[in-house]
Amino acid sequence: SDSDEWSDAESDAAEGEQRECAATTGRREYFSRCAALEAVPCAMLVAKLRCEHINLRHAGMGVKGARALAAALAVNEHIRSLNLGDNAFGDEGCTAFVGLSNTTLTSLNLADNQIGFHGMRSLASALPGVPSLRELVLKGNVLDDRAAVPLTDALSGPAAASLTRLDVSYNTLGEASGLALGEMIA
């Protein structure tokens, strides 16, 4: 009957849209990585993988959450702005972003995540894979003059040419580091 044919066509179209959505959001990669890490998926993240702006501040993601998120970000074509403040990533969580390749992310907030020298080294090596990044917020971490070196090196290369805003306030950076970082984005 016509109604059965219409139902089948609608069903096929919906399945095709779901496959396309999964391919561009990283949902499949996220769930797969969560399973491999034995981590509980963050429902707020899953619900917003098709959104341009996601606020996951205080979501309690931790190191495993950072690793699962990185898998989704590697294929996500929707997220432009991502607030990951206060998720206890620490230096270890930052290693998840090494090798990340994402051309749509323009704003990344990693404030209050206990990121220090080793985490900054990992993040600095990830910057070339995110050429669209305009804003990077690292305030309230444990960055010191030693941690400023890899960041300054990354910002002096072509990979960070699009960066227009860097917030490293409420860290323990000295005057020399502040001047060097300021020159990189001026």
Side-chain angles (χ1 to χ4, degrees):
S1 84
D2 285 341
S3 65
D4 289 339
E5 288 176 26
W6 181 253
S7 276
D8 290 344
E10 283 180 327
S11 179
D12 290 345
E15 285 176 21
E17 186 176 309
Q18 281 182 327
R19 277 191 301 276
E20 181 181 318
C21 174
T24 63
T25 63
R27 182 183 172 105
R28 184 178 312 121
E29 290 79 1
Y30 179 71
F31 279 118
S32 175
R33 190 73 170 135
C34 282
L37 294 167
E38 298 180 353
V40 176
C42 176
M44 289 188 326
L45 173 61
V46 172
K48 297 182 178 201
L49 281 170
R50 291 187 78 178
C51 295
E52 286 190 9
H53 308 285
I54 300 178
N55 184 352
L56 295 173
R57 185 164 181 79
H58 313 299
M61 296 177 74
V63 173
K64 288 181 179 181
R67 290 180 179 153
L69 172 63
L73 286 176
V75 297
N76 188 288
E77 298 175 2
H78 303 279
I79 301 171
R80 305 283 180 261
S81 172
L82 186 57
N83 184 345
L84 298 171
D86 192 24
N87 271 287
F89 289 159
D91 288 341
E92 188 180 350
C94 291
T95 63
F97 300 108
V98 172
L100 178 65
S101 178
N102 181 297
T103 58
T104 59
L105 192 62
T106 60
S107 176
L108 179 61
N109 185 333
L110 292 168
D112 306 311
N113 270 296
Q114 299 92 37
I115 299 168
F117 170 70
H118 296 291
M120 192 66 260
R121 240 182 20 195
S122 297
L123 287 174
S125 73
L127 286 177
V130 191
S132 54
L133 194 63
R134 290 189 196 114
E135 176 183 43
L136 180 60
V137 178
L138 297 167
K139 71 180 180 179
N141 283 291
V142 289
L143 302 176
D144 57 13
D145 289 332
R146 191 171 150 220
V149 173
L151 181 57
T152 303
D153 291 346
L155 294 179
S156 65
S162 64
L163 196 67
T164 58
R165 181 172 184 265
L166 175 66
D167 185 347
V168 290
S169 60
Y170 300 102
N171 282 286
T172 57
L173 297 170
E175 186 176 343
S177 294
L179 290 171
L181 288 168
E183 287 179 22
M184 294 300 117
I185 62 169

